[in-house]
Amino acid sequence: MAGAEEQIEIPTEVSEGGEPPMPRREKKPHEKGITFREFDHVKDFEDLVKTIVQLCDGEEQERLREMEDWIVKNEGAWVLPEGFNSFLGSVFHKPDWPSAGRIAMVRLLSYGAEQDDIVYILNMDRKDHTVMNYAQKIDRLPITEQESLAMFFCNLFETGSASQWLLYTSEWDAPGGGLPLSNIRVTTKVAVTALLGDTPTLVNYGSALMANLATKEFFDDVCSELAMAILQFYQGKPPEEQVFRCMKALGKFCAVASRDVPQLVKMIGPEPSKFSGMSPRVDELIEPIMARLATVPMF
């Protein structure tokens, strides 16, 4: 891991279920990421109730009442019981439950991410990985669900503890088999899928998530995948704001994976100089990347 003097020390202690019980305090104050706060959370809660209440058993209906205390009455996530993640599992993973309910639930989580206590819900899920197993399917979900998930991941950068949760490296078995999953791998998949997504809204969230990741410290094994997505994105003609966000991320990935990512940029392209002159702030980010690329041997 690069930049030990910078922001985060990845947690190493684990609790039951394989995840750190709480993220360590950052060495520097948390740098709030790009987030999206345009919500009608009362309507989102009403939509959730309307779409799933008839499918809920008595215990699940009690979870809805507790959610009202949390999200509508603003009593804090602490009102939710330890078994709340089982309710999330029903909403996210029961095939006969409607997509509209999943969208409403993710929007409510996104709204709640403004408060530090969102990490209470995230850590409650450290054994079953209900949220991350759902997010891992992002490329197979309807576009509206993809957009809600990508916004949620952006909004988790509102606080230091929630954003660090996205970077956990402890692995668990993927449902249905395949390579093991970890929070950072799922976060990478969400970022890549969103940036290369099919709607302007999804791409906007993806570029924001890339920029948010650039504010953090993490292991270099995901940098190449993230950088390749940015290079593919740069094949088009993105607007200045999204070029700036992704250039910030590309510079960070070049620094973390100081051999592999610069080689990828040289081999795959386009080189960042494609966007020279777009704006002073983009030029400022391009300069150190190009200096680093100049040291990469040609093949």
Side-chain angles (χ1 to χ4, degrees):
M1 187 174 67
E5 76 282 6
E6 296 181 14
Q7 248 182 209
I8 287 181
E9 196 172 320
I10 296 294
T12 55
E13 70 273 19
V14 296
S15 63
E16 182 181 354
E19 292 292 353
M22 289 290 291
R24 287 182 183 172
R25 184 174 297 175
E26 294 184 339
K27 294 181 177 181
K28 289 185 178 181
H30 168 64
E31 180 182 343
K32 176 185 170 182
I34 300 168
T35 60
F36 302 88
R37 301 302 313 167
E38 295 182 3
F39 291 101
D40 184 344
H41 63 289
V42 175
K43 180 181 183 301
D44 288 333
F45 179 73
E46 292 171 349
D47 289 345
L48 177 67
V49 173
K50 180 174 62 177
T51 55
I52 70 171
V53 66
Q54 297 300 322
L55 300 171
C56 293
D57 59 27
E59 187 172 334
E60 290 165 339
Q61 290 184 10
E62 181 63 26
R63 299 291 86 80
L64 284 174
R65 286 189 284 271
E66 292 157 351
M67 281 196 69
E68 183 178 17
D69 292 338
W70 164 47
I71 210 76
V72 177
K73 299 180 181 178
N74 197 31
E75 295 183 9
W78 315 109
V79 301
L80 303 174
E82 184 67 28
F84 180 71
N85 64 310
S86 296
F87 177 54
L88 287 179
S90 295
V91 176
F92 289 153
H93 297 292
K94 284 188 175 180
D96 56 334
W97 285 38
S99 175
R102 291 188 285 275
I103 293 169
M105 177 63 82
V106 174
R107 286 184 59 83
L108 291 169
L109 291 171
S110 298
Y111 174 79
E114 186 177 25
Q115 303 299 322
D116 284 322
D117 62 5
I118 189 68
V119 79
Y120 170 73
I121 298 174
L122 303 177
N123 283 333
M124 193 189 302
D125 195 38
R126 64 183 180 268
K127 181 178 180 181
D128 296 330
H129 308 288
T130 299
V131 174
M132 281 299 188
N133 284 335
Y134 170 58
Q136 173 65 14
K137 302 186 293 185
I138 184 170
D139 56 330
R140 305 190 298 275
L141 296 174
I143 288 294
T144 47
E145 289 187 47
Q146 292 185 31
E147 291 174 348
S148 296
L149 265 174
M151 179 178 64
F152 174 47
F153 273 58
C154 288
N155 282 9
L156 286 175
F157 283 86
E158 185 87 36
T159 65
S161 54
S163 58
Q164 190 166 335
W165 177 82
L166 292 172
L167 310 181
Y168 286 165
T169 58
S170 298
E171 296 181 340
W172 69 91
D173 292 334
L179 293 175
L181 300 178
S182 66
N183 286 16
I184 183 58
R185 287 178 186 158
V186 176
T187 300
T188 297
K189 183 172 183 178
V190 171
V192 169
T193 302
L195 184 66
L196 303 179
D198 294 330
T199 68
T201 297
L202 194 54
V203 173
N204 186 44
Y205 292 149
S207 66
L209 187 50
M210 287 289 184
N212 289 350
L213 284 168
T215 69
K216 293 296 182 180
E217 293 302 311
F218 46 85
F219 292 99
D220 62 4
D221 56 348
V222 299
C223 288
S224 293
E225 185 176 354
L226 292 166
M228 286 183 68
I230 290 174
L231 294 174
Q232 184 174 341
F233 176 65
Y234 277 171
Q235 298 290 340
K237 297 180 179 179
E240 190 272 349
E241 175 65 28
Q242 294 175 4
V243 170
F244 172 75
R245 294 172 181 176
C246 290
M247 198 68 71
K248 178 181 177 183
L250 187 61
K252 178 61 175 284
F253 304 148
C254 283
V256 174
S258 57
R259 183 187 65 179
D260 293 346
V261 170
Q263 287 180 347
L264 276 176
V265 176
K266 293 284 284 188
M267 288 189 296
I268 298 174
E271 290 196 357
S273 57
K274 169 184 176 180
F275 300 101
S276 293
M278 175 171 274
S279 72
R281 65 175 186 167
V282 170
D283 288 345
E284 186 177 346
L285 294 173
I286 289 173
E287 184 178 349
I289 299 176
M290 294 305 298
R292 188 179 292 272
L293 293 183
T295 68
V296 177
M298 297 296 291
F299 291 92

mmCIF file of all heavy atoms in Angstrom, residues 193-230:
data_model
loop_
_atom_site.group_PDB
_atom_site.id
_atom_site.type_symbol
_atom_site.label_atom_id
_atom_site.label_comp_id
_atom_site.label_asym_id
_atom_site.label_seq_id
_atom_site.Cartn_x
_atom_site.Cartn_y
_atom_site.Cartn_z
ATOM 1 N N THR A 193 -18.739 -0.205 -13.326
ATOM 2 C CA THR A 193 -20.020 -0.368 -14.006
ATOM 3 C C THR A 193 -20.719 0.964 -14.180
ATOM 4 O O THR A 193 -21.297 1.250 -15.238
ATOM 5 C CB THR A 193 -20.917 -1.341 -13.212
ATOM 6 O OG1 THR A 193 -20.256 -2.607 -13.081
ATOM 7 C CG2 THR A 193 -22.250 -1.547 -13.908
ATOM 8 N N ALA A 194 -20.657 1.792 -13.151
ATOM 9 C CA ALA A 194 -21.323 3.094 -13.237
ATOM 10 C C ALA A 194 -20.635 4.006 -14.248
ATOM 11 O O ALA A 194 -21.297 4.628 -15.086
ATOM 12 C CB ALA A 194 -21.357 3.754 -11.859
ATOM 13 N N LEU A 195 -19.312 4.092 -14.195
ATOM 14 C CA LEU A 195 -18.592 4.993 -15.099
ATOM 15 C C LEU A 195 -18.827 4.623 -16.558
ATOM 16 O O LEU A 195 -18.907 5.495 -17.426
ATOM 17 C CB LEU A 195 -17.096 4.972 -14.789
ATOM 18 C CG LEU A 195 -16.250 5.953 -15.607
ATOM 19 C CD1 LEU A 195 -16.607 7.396 -15.264
ATOM 20 C CD2 LEU A 195 -14.763 5.709 -15.377
ATOM 21 N N LEU A 196 -18.931 3.333 -16.825
ATOM 22 C CA LEU A 196 -19.147 2.870 -18.201
ATOM 23 C C LEU A 196 -20.615 2.548 -18.455
ATOM 24 O O LEU A 196 -20.950 1.794 -19.365
ATOM 25 C CB LEU A 196 -18.278 1.631 -18.465
ATOM 26 C CG LEU A 196 -16.775 1.832 -18.247
ATOM 27 C CD1 LEU A 196 -16.021 0.536 -18.503
ATOM 28 C CD2 LEU A 196 -16.231 2.957 -19.123
ATOM 29 N N GLY A 197 -21.491 3.155 -17.658
ATOM 30 C CA GLY A 197 -22.912 2.845 -17.707
ATOM 31 C C GLY A 197 -23.629 3.418 -18.907
ATOM 32 O O GLY A 197 -23.063 4.160 -19.726
ATOM 33 N N ASP A 198 -24.924 3.112 -18.986
ATOM 34 C CA ASP A 198 -25.721 3.411 -20.163
ATOM 35 C C ASP A 198 -26.533 4.698 -20.063
ATOM 36 O O ASP A 198 -27.234 5.061 -21.018
ATOM 37 C CB ASP A 198 -26.685 2.250 -20.448
ATOM 38 C CG ASP A 198 -25.955 0.978 -20.850
ATOM 39 O OD1 ASP A 198 -24.863 1.088 -21.452
ATOM 40 O OD2 ASP A 198 -26.469 -0.126 -20.573
ATOM 41 N N THR A 199 -26.487 5.388 -18.922
ATOM 42 C CA THR A 199 -27.244 6.631 -18.787
ATOM 43 C C THR A 199 -26.324 7.732 -18.268
ATOM 44 O O THR A 199 -25.364 7.457 -17.538
ATOM 45 C CB THR A 199 -28.424 6.475 -17.815
ATOM 46 O OG1 THR A 199 -27.937 6.283 -16.479
ATOM 47 C CG2 THR A 199 -29.311 5.299 -18.212
ATOM 48 N N PRO A 200 -26.595 8.986 -18.625
ATOM 49 C CA PRO A 200 -25.793 10.094 -18.096
ATOM 50 C C PRO A 200 -25.787 10.146 -16.574
ATOM 51 O O PRO A 200 -24.765 10.495 -15.966
ATOM 52 C CB PRO A 200 -26.466 11.327 -18.701
ATOM 53 C CG PRO A 200 -27.144 10.833 -19.940
ATOM 54 C CD PRO A 200 -27.600 9.443 -19.616
ATOM 55 N N THR A 201 -26.904 9.800 -15.950
ATOM 56 C CA THR A 201 -26.968 9.801 -14.486
ATOM 57 C C THR A 201 -26.005 8.786 -13.907
ATOM 58 O O THR A 201 -25.262 9.078 -12.952
ATOM 59 C CB THR A 201 -28.402 9.495 -14.022
ATOM 60 O OG1 THR A 201 -29.278 10.528 -14.473
ATOM 61 C CG2 THR A 201 -28.476 9.406 -12.507
ATOM 62 N N LEU A 202 -25.986 7.605 -14.467
ATOM 63 C CA LEU A 202 -25.108 6.549 -13.976
ATOM 64 C C LEU A 202 -23.643 6.938 -14.161
ATOM 65 O O LEU A 202 -22.811 6.759 -13.250
ATOM 66 C CB LEU A 202 -25.418 5.249 -14.709
ATOM 67 C CG LEU A 202 -24.851 3.944 -14.141
ATOM 68 C CD1 LEU A 202 -25.225 3.751 -12.679
ATOM 69 C CD2 LEU A 202 -25.328 2.758 -14.972
ATOM 70 N N VAL A 203 -23.305 7.502 -15.314
ATOM 71 C CA VAL A 203 -21.934 7.928 -15.584
ATOM 72 C C VAL A 203 -21.524 9.033 -14.616
ATOM 73 O O VAL A 203 -20.383 9.064 -14.124
ATOM 74 C CB VAL A 203 -21.794 8.393 -17.044
ATOM 75 C CG1 VAL A 203 -20.427 9.002 -17.291
ATOM 76 C CG2 VAL A 203 -22.032 7.218 -18.000
ATOM 77 N N ASN A 204 -22.426 9.941 -14.330
ATOM 78 C CA ASN A 204 -22.123 11.016 -13.390
ATOM 79 C C ASN A 204 -21.785 10.442 -12.011
ATOM 80 O O ASN A 204 -20.799 10.855 -11.377
ATOM 81 C CB ASN A 204 -23.317 11.965 -13.284
ATOM 82 C CG ASN A 204 -23.012 13.187 -12.447
ATOM 83 O OD1 ASN A 204 -21.955 13.798 -12.564
ATOM 84 N ND2 ASN A 204 -23.944 13.561 -11.578
ATOM 85 N N TYR A 205 -22.566 9.484 -11.555
ATOM 86 C CA TYR A 205 -22.270 8.840 -10.280
ATOM 87 C C TYR A 205 -20.935 8.093 -10.349
ATOM 88 O O TYR A 205 -20.146 8.108 -9.396
ATOM 89 C CB TYR A 205 -23.378 7.864 -9.894
ATOM 90 C CG TYR A 205 -24.703 8.497 -9.561
ATOM 91 C CD1 TYR A 205 -25.897 7.823 -9.827
ATOM 92 C CD2 TYR A 205 -24.779 9.763 -8.983
ATOM 93 C CE1 TYR A 205 -27.132 8.387 -9.510
ATOM 94 C CE2 TYR A 205 -26.011 10.328 -8.678
ATOM 95 C CZ TYR A 205 -27.186 9.640 -8.943
ATOM 96 O OH TYR A 205 -28.409 10.194 -8.640
ATOM 97 N N GLY A 206 -20.674 7.445 -11.474
ATOM 98 C CA GLY A 206 -19.433 6.693 -11.615
ATOM 99 C C GLY A 206 -18.209 7.582 -11.552
ATOM 100 O O GLY A 206 -17.210 7.251 -10.898
ATOM 101 N N SER A 207 -18.265 8.740 -12.200
ATOM 102 C CA SER A 207 -17.129 9.659 -12.154
ATOM 103 C C SER A 207 -16.939 10.213 -10.750
ATOM 104 O O SER A 207 -15.810 10.413 -10.290
ATOM 105 C CB SER A 207 -17.312 10.794 -13.164
ATOM 106 O OG SER A 207 -18.416 11.623 -12.831
ATOM 107 N N ALA A 208 -18.048 10.461 -10.053
ATOM 108 C CA ALA A 208 -17.951 10.936 -8.672
ATOM 109 C C ALA A 208 -17.337 9.877 -7.776
ATOM 110 O O ALA A 208 -16.507 10.181 -6.906
ATOM 111 C CB ALA A 208 -19.334 11.330 -8.165
ATOM 112 N N LEU A 209 -17.731 8.622 -7.973
ATOM 113 C CA LEU A 209 -17.196 7.543 -7.153
ATOM 114 C C LEU A 209 -15.702 7.358 -7.401
ATOM 115 O O LEU A 209 -14.926 7.109 -6.461
ATOM 116 C CB LEU A 209 -17.969 6.250 -7.433
ATOM 117 C CG LEU A 209 -17.670 5.047 -6.546
ATOM 118 C CD1 LEU A 209 -17.731 5.394 -5.064
ATOM 119 C CD2 LEU A 209 -18.650 3.906 -6.865
ATOM 120 N N MET A 210 -15.267 7.501 -8.650
ATOM 121 C CA MET A 210 -13.833 7.435 -8.940
ATOM 122 C C MET A 210 -13.083 8.541 -8.198
ATOM 123 O O MET A 210 -12.034 8.299 -7.572
ATOM 124 C CB MET A 210 -13.594 7.570 -10.445
ATOM 125 C CG MET A 210 -13.986 6.360 -11.267
ATOM 126 S SD MET A 210 -12.861 4.974 -11.005
ATOM 127 C CE MET A 210 -13.525 3.791 -12.210
ATOM 128 N N ALA A 211 -13.606 9.754 -8.239
ATOM 129 C CA ALA A 211 -12.965 10.864 -7.539
ATOM 130 C C ALA A 211 -12.948 10.636 -6.034
ATOM 131 O O ALA A 211 -11.967 10.956 -5.349
ATOM 132 C CB ALA A 211 -13.678 12.176 -7.869
ATOM 133 N N ASN A 212 -14.024 10.076 -5.507
ATOM 134 C CA ASN A 212 -14.078 9.793 -4.077
ATOM 135 C C ASN A 212 -13.023 8.765 -3.671
ATOM 136 O O ASN A 212 -12.372 8.897 -2.624
ATOM 137 C CB ASN A 212 -15.469 9.288 -3.692
ATOM 138 C CG ASN A 212 -16.524 10.382 -3.742
ATOM 139 O OD1 ASN A 212 -16.201 11.557 -3.888
ATOM 140 N ND2 ASN A 212 -17.780 10.003 -3.627
ATOM 141 N N LEU A 213 -12.846 7.751 -4.487
ATOM 142 C CA LEU A 213 -11.826 6.737 -4.182
ATOM 143 C C LEU A 213 -10.431 7.361 -4.171
ATOM 144 O O LEU A 213 -9.558 6.904 -3.427
ATOM 145 C CB LEU A 213 -11.898 5.604 -5.210
ATOM 146 C CG LEU A 213 -13.065 4.629 -5.037
ATOM 147 C CD1 LEU A 213 -13.202 3.726 -6.261
ATOM 148 C CD2 LEU A 213 -12.887 3.788 -3.780
ATOM 149 N N ALA A 214 -10.248 8.395 -4.957
ATOM 150 C CA ALA A 214 -8.927 9.036 -5.018
ATOM 151 C C ALA A 214 -8.566 9.744 -3.723
ATOM 152 O O ALA A 214 -7.406 10.104 -3.519
ATOM 153 C CB ALA A 214 -8.882 10.034 -6.175
ATOM 154 N N THR A 215 -9.542 9.943 -2.835
ATOM 155 C CA THR A 215 -9.254 10.596 -1.554
ATOM 156 C C THR A 215 -8.805 9.600 -0.496
ATOM 157 O O THR A 215 -8.466 9.999 0.614
ATOM 158 C CB THR A 215 -10.496 11.334 -1.024
ATOM 159 O OG1 THR A 215 -11.508 10.385 -0.638
ATOM 160 C CG2 THR A 215 -11.053 12.283 -2.070
ATOM 161 N N LYS A 216 -8.793 8.296 -0.835
ATOM 162 C CA LYS A 216 -8.547 7.257 0.153
ATOM 163 C C LYS A 216 -7.261 6.500 -0.123
ATOM 164 O O LYS A 216 -6.671 6.592 -1.194
ATOM 165 C CB LYS A 216 -9.725 6.269 0.171
ATOM 166 C CG LYS A 216 -11.024 6.865 0.679
ATOM 167 C CD LYS A 216 -10.903 7.276 2.128
ATOM 168 C CE LYS A 216 -12.180 7.840 2.688
ATOM 169 N NZ LYS A 216 -12.042 8.225 4.094
ATOM 170 N N GLU A 217 -6.855 5.712 0.871
ATOM 171 C CA GLU A 217 -5.709 4.827 0.727
ATOM 172 C C GLU A 217 -6.207 3.393 0.655
ATOM 173 O O GLU A 217 -7.076 2.991 1.435
ATOM 174 C CB GLU A 217 -4.757 4.982 1.917
ATOM 175 C CG GLU A 217 -4.075 6.340 1.982
ATOM 176 C CD GLU A 217 -3.288 6.647 0.729
ATOM 177 O OE1 GLU A 217 -2.502 5.793 0.287
ATOM 178 O OE2 GLU A 217 -3.462 7.747 0.189
ATOM 179 N N PHE A 218 -5.667 2.617 -0.280
ATOM 180 C CA PHE A 218 -6.083 1.226 -0.431
ATOM 181 C C PHE A 218 -4.969 0.463 -1.121
ATOM 182 O O PHE A 218 -4.003 1.041 -1.628
ATOM 183 C CB PHE A 218 -7.388 1.125 -1.227
ATOM 184 C CG PHE A 218 -7.423 1.972 -2.466
ATOM 185 C CD1 PHE A 218 -6.896 1.518 -3.654
ATOM 186 C CD2 PHE A 218 -7.976 3.244 -2.425
ATOM 187 C CE1 PHE A 218 -6.905 2.302 -4.779
ATOM 188 C CE2 PHE A 218 -7.997 4.049 -3.558
ATOM 189 C CZ PHE A 218 -7.468 3.576 -4.731
ATOM 190 N N PHE A 219 -5.109 -0.852 -1.139
ATOM 191 C CA PHE A 219 -4.106 -1.693 -1.771
ATOM 192 C C PHE A 219 -4.172 -1.560 -3.288
ATOM 193 O O PHE A 219 -5.218 -1.238 -3.856
ATOM 194 C CB PHE A 219 -4.285 -3.147 -1.341
ATOM 195 C CG PHE A 219 -3.969 -3.374 0.097
ATOM 196 C CD1 PHE A 219 -4.973 -3.449 1.053
ATOM 197 C CD2 PHE A 219 -2.656 -3.501 0.521
ATOM 198 C CE1 PHE A 219 -4.686 -3.646 2.383
ATOM 199 C CE2 PHE A 219 -2.350 -3.701 1.856
ATOM 200 C CZ PHE A 219 -3.362 -3.770 2.797
ATOM 201 N N ASP A 220 -3.036 -1.829 -3.925
ATOM 202 C CA ASP A 220 -2.925 -1.515 -5.347
ATOM 203 C C ASP A 220 -3.531 -2.562 -6.270
ATOM 204 O O ASP A 220 -3.541 -2.375 -7.484
ATOM 205 C CB ASP A 220 -1.455 -1.292 -5.725
ATOM 206 C CG ASP A 220 -0.582 -2.525 -5.509
ATOM 207 O OD1 ASP A 220 -1.118 -3.586 -5.136
ATOM 208 O OD2 ASP A 220 0.640 -2.414 -5.701
ATOM 209 N N ASP A 221 -4.101 -3.659 -5.717
ATOM 210 C CA ASP A 221 -4.554 -4.733 -6.605
ATOM 211 C C ASP A 221 -5.833 -4.380 -7.370
ATOM 212 O O ASP A 221 -6.213 -5.106 -8.291
ATOM 213 C CB ASP A 221 -4.747 -6.048 -5.837
ATOM 214 C CG ASP A 221 -5.707 -5.922 -4.673
ATOM 215 O OD1 ASP A 221 -6.057 -4.795 -4.308
ATOM 216 O OD2 ASP A 221 -6.101 -6.968 -4.122
ATOM 217 N N VAL A 222 -6.516 -3.294 -7.026
ATOM 218 C CA VAL A 222 -7.693 -2.890 -7.789
ATOM 219 C C VAL A 222 -7.415 -1.684 -8.682
ATOM 220 O O VAL A 222 -8.268 -1.291 -9.477
ATOM 221 C CB VAL A 222 -8.883 -2.570 -6.852
ATOM 222 C CG1 VAL A 222 -9.273 -3.805 -6.048
ATOM 223 C CG2 VAL A 222 -8.570 -1.402 -5.938
ATOM 224 N N CYS A 223 -6.245 -1.103 -8.560
ATOM 225 C CA CYS A 223 -5.957 0.136 -9.302
ATOM 226 C C CYS A 223 -5.992 -0.067 -10.808
ATOM 227 O O CYS A 223 -6.476 0.797 -11.547
ATOM 228 C CB CYS A 223 -4.597 0.692 -8.878
ATOM 229 S SG CYS A 223 -4.595 1.416 -7.226
ATOM 230 N N SER A 224 -5.475 -1.186 -11.282
ATOM 231 C CA SER A 224 -5.436 -1.407 -12.728
ATOM 232 C C SER A 224 -6.839 -1.501 -13.305
ATOM 233 O O SER A 224 -7.117 -0.936 -14.379
ATOM 234 C CB SER A 224 -4.645 -2.682 -13.044
ATOM 235 O OG SER A 224 -3.284 -2.520 -12.724
ATOM 236 N N GLU A 225 -7.735 -2.189 -12.612
ATOM 237 C CA GLU A 225 -9.110 -2.314 -13.103
ATOM 238 C C GLU A 225 -9.804 -0.954 -13.140
ATOM 239 O O GLU A 225 -10.502 -0.616 -14.105
ATOM 240 C CB GLU A 225 -9.897 -3.283 -12.226
ATOM 241 C CG GLU A 225 -11.301 -3.570 -12.726
ATOM 242 C CD GLU A 225 -12.040 -4.609 -11.896
ATOM 243 O OE1 GLU A 225 -11.418 -5.195 -10.994
ATOM 244 O OE2 GLU A 225 -13.234 -4.823 -12.161
ATOM 245 N N LEU A 226 -9.610 -0.175 -12.105
ATOM 246 C CA LEU A 226 -10.201 1.161 -12.072
ATOM 247 C C LEU A 226 -9.620 2.049 -13.168
ATOM 248 O O LEU A 226 -10.347 2.774 -13.851
ATOM 249 C CB LEU A 226 -9.971 1.788 -10.693
ATOM 250 C CG LEU A 226 -10.712 1.138 -9.524
ATOM 251 C CD1 LEU A 226 -10.134 1.620 -8.196
ATOM 252 C CD2 LEU A 226 -12.204 1.424 -9.587
ATOM 253 N N ALA A 227 -8.295 1.986 -13.343
ATOM 254 C CA ALA A 227 -7.643 2.810 -14.355
ATOM 255 C C ALA A 227 -8.076 2.419 -15.761
ATOM 256 O O ALA A 227 -8.283 3.290 -16.626
ATOM 257 C CB ALA A 227 -6.126 2.699 -14.213
ATOM 258 N N MET A 228 -8.218 1.129 -16.017
ATOM 259 C CA MET A 228 -8.659 0.686 -17.349
ATOM 260 C C MET A 228 -10.046 1.218 -17.675
ATOM 261 O O MET A 228 -10.331 1.581 -18.822
ATOM 262 C CB MET A 228 -8.615 -0.837 -17.425
ATOM 263 C CG MET A 228 -7.209 -1.402 -17.524
ATOM 264 S SD MET A 228 -7.181 -3.208 -17.704
ATOM 265 C CE MET A 228 -7.892 -3.371 -19.342
ATOM 266 N N ALA A 229 -10.924 1.271 -16.669
ATOM 267 C CA ALA A 229 -12.256 1.826 -16.903
ATOM 268 C C ALA A 229 -12.170 3.303 -17.258
ATOM 269 O O ALA A 229 -12.885 3.785 -18.154
ATOM 270 C CB ALA A 229 -13.130 1.628 -15.665
ATOM 271 N N ILE A 230 -11.301 4.037 -16.573
ATOM 272 C CA ILE A 230 -11.129 5.460 -16.881
ATOM 273 C C ILE A 230 -10.598 5.638 -18.297
ATOM 274 O O ILE A 230 -11.067 6.505 -19.058
ATOM 275 C CB ILE A 230 -10.206 6.124 -15.846
ATOM 276 C CG1 ILE A 230 -10.907 6.210 -14.490
ATOM 277 C CG2 ILE A 230 -9.779 7.510 -16.313
ATOM 278 C CD1 ILE A 230 -10.034 6.725 -13.368
#
